Amino acid sequence: MIEMKDRFLDVCEKTMGQFMGRSMRSFWQYAKEQGLTMTQMVALRHIHFKQECNISEISEELGVTNAASSQLLDRLVQQGLIARHENPVDRRNKKILLTERGRQIIHDSVVARQHWMHDLTEHLSLAEMEQVTQSFTLLLEKLEQIEPA
């Protein structure tokens, strides 16, 4: 029993390491090709998931000052990736939104991040894909029992 748990944990750790490593390499390569830094990509992803936010929220996410965030956001505005809109209630508190180009960058970064998975399917038979799909489905169900999404 303990041997099987150890083997399971070892395979999970190695598999997750491969998944995360390949995914992040592809993601950062895409960002680099677009001329974007890691910090800019983190800011864009934060804005994407929040739908809209302000400078203070970006500063908190990045762990930097509001002044540093403001400079970063100025560059993203210049690149046409975000827009700042005045808050009608508090004109000092500007809302930050992704532009269409910013949304496209986020979408394309996800596609780039997942590209290696499409390559992987070329190395699996249909039977192997079915086996992996069943195993991952079981893992997802068990993960949701531990902590619902």
Side-chain angles (χ1 to χ4, degrees):
M1 178 79 158
I2 291 176
E3 279 184 29
M4 186 62 216
K5 282 185 179 181
D6 287 344
R7 190 166 150 237
F8 172 79
L9 292 172
D10 184 53
V11 168
C12 282
E13 182 178 339
K14 287 178 181 174
T15 303
M16 289 304 298
Q18 285 284 324
F19 277 25
M20 291 170 58
R22 290 171 189 267
S23 177
M24 293 312 294
R25 258 191 313 279
S26 298
F27 177 76
W28 294 124
Q29 180 62 39
Y30 172 79
K32 186 177 175 183
E33 289 168 1
Q34 299 306 308
L36 296 168
T37 66
M38 184 183 313
T39 306
Q40 289 171 322
M41 286 302 293
V42 170
L44 289 172
R45 288 180 51 81
H46 181 77
I47 297 164
H48 169 74
F49 288 113
K50 293 282 285 185
Q51 302 290 314
E52 69 176 41
C53 57
N54 61 35
I55 291 175
S56 297
E57 291 170 322
I58 297 292
S59 298
E60 187 175 318
E61 176 72 12
L62 299 176
V64 298
T65 64
N66 283 354
S69 287
S70 186
Q71 288 179 348
L72 170 84
L73 295 172
D74 285 344
R75 286 190 293 277
L76 293 174
V77 167
Q78 290 168 0
Q79 291 173 293
L81 301 176
I82 65 167
R84 291 179 174 170
H85 296 286
E86 284 188 5
N87 182 338
V89 178
D90 181 359
R91 294 173 61 140
R92 295 169 297 158
N93 186 8
K94 298 198 185 311
K95 294 292 179 188
I96 302 163
L97 306 160
L98 289 178
T99 62
E100 183 57 39
R101 183 163 181 253
R103 285 190 292 280
Q104 188 65 49
I105 289 284
I106 292 298
H107 173 269
D108 292 349
S109 73
V110 171
V111 171
R113 194 177 51 122
Q114 296 173 348
H115 182 74
W116 68 270
M117 288 189 284
H118 298 283
D119 291 343
L120 179 60
T121 63
E122 299 300 319
H123 292 84
L124 295 169
S125 68
L126 289 176
E128 289 169 329
M129 281 190 259
E130 181 59 32
Q131 183 180 7
V132 171
T133 300
Q134 288 176 1
S135 296
F136 279 1
T137 300
L138 174 63
L139 284 174
L140 284 171
E141 290 169 2
K142 297 301 178 179
L143 285 167
E144 288 173 356
Q145 288 174 7
I146 294 169
E147 186 176 325

